Amino acid sequence: MSDFSVKPTLTGDRVVLRPPTEQDADAVAGILEDPEVLAFTGTPAGTPPPSLDFLRTWYGTRAAQNDRLDLALVDRASGEVVGELVLNEWDEHNRSCNFRTLIGPRGRDRGLGTEAIRLLLAHGFERLGLNRISLSVYAFNPRAIRVYEKVGFVREGVEREALLHEGRWIDALTMSVLAREWAVHRGRPGTNTLPRALPGTTPTPAS
């Protein structure tokens, strides 16, 4: 498979995923102040936010990273950066990686995240040749869980009491989607999507 040195721009009907730049730091800083983002990323109360200088350096250096893919999530209607999607923790031998996303309040409840995740999964399986993309999501985030299941992620297990949030222990769910599953549903499980070959694979007829 390829590494992550090529940083694509992926365009959908309502979103664009593009390589981030240091100019995106202000938008991300605002997103990182959102209480829902802080809760669902497991950020402890009172944690100081990252400085603008740190964020500018971080996003200004993402293009040089060959072992991960960071993409800014842009709302096509407004041109505004409303979040980010990331493939990281790359296991080259086993053709697997982790997925995470961060979407601010101006990008929610309009289907932008669903479309963006499908675009990124298609790139991961059909261009990069990944076999497995996995994630972890806290159990008190049902909206995210619904979206992940909608695009084909399957629940695998539970990390019990993985987060202490406001005095309560919260479980984390482990979920994944495999290349052979993506070849059948392409991000729309439960539909009659025909199987499609992926790099290095042979399609299996749906039963």
Side-chain angles (χ1 to χ4, degrees):
M1 65 165 284
S2 304
D3 63 16
F4 292 91
S5 58
V6 175
K7 310 300 183 183
T9 295
L10 308 175
T11 303
D13 293 332
R14 288 173 288 181
V15 304
V16 173
L17 296 176
R18 61 155 175 81
T21 70
E22 61 183 33
Q23 284 73 37
D24 297 324
D26 290 300
V28 176
I31 291 169
L32 293 176
E33 294 176 353
D34 177 60
E36 192 167 303
V37 166
L38 294 174
F40 293 151
T41 55
T43 304
T47 301
S51 68
L52 274 176
D53 284 343
F54 172 84
L55 291 174
R56 290 187 183 112
T57 298
W58 177 262
Y59 289 106
T61 57
R62 294 307 87 199
Q65 312 305 310
N66 294 335
D67 62 345
R68 58 184 287 150
L69 177 62
D70 299 74
L71 295 175
L73 170 56
V74 180
D75 178 356
R76 287 190 67 180
S78 66
E80 181 182 6
V81 173
V82 296
E84 67 175 8
L85 281 75
V86 179
L87 295 177
N88 62 0
E89 299 178 14
W90 179 35
D91 181 340
E92 181 177 9
H93 176 74
N94 291 308
R95 293 165 49 199
S96 68
C97 70
N98 177 70
F99 165 75
R100 69 169 180 80
T101 184
L102 183 74
I103 300 179
R106 295 174 67 85
R108 296 180 195 139
D109 301 319
R110 291 184 291 137
L112 304 185
T114 300
E115 182 179 71
I117 296 170
R118 285 186 177 129
L119 286 172
L120 188 60
L121 292 179
H123 180 75
F125 290 125
E126 298 172 23
R127 300 297 181 187
L128 298 177
L130 291 167
N131 180 64
R132 169 185 161 89
I133 298 175
S134 61
L135 61 83
S136 179
V137 57
Y138 292 118
F140 70 158
N141 190 356
R143 177 173 57 199
I145 294 168
R146 285 194 299 270
V147 171
Y148 297 147
E149 291 181 328
K150 183 177 181 180
V151 301
F153 280 91
V154 176
R155 301 189 192 201
E156 292 184 330
V158 178
E159 299 174 66
R160 298 181 301 161
E161 300 185 1
L163 173 70
L164 181 60
H165 176 75
E166 296 181 350
R168 295 188 300 136
W169 288 108
I170 307 297
D171 295 341
L173 306 182
T174 302
M175 308 177 73
S176 74
V177 59
L178 306 177
R180 58 180 172 80
E181 297 166 341
W182 179 263
V184 173
H185 60 61
R186 301 198 72 243
R188 291 174 171 81
T191 66
N192 293 322
T193 305
L194 294 175
R196 173 173 172 172
L198 296 172
T201 69
T202 301
T204 302
S207 56

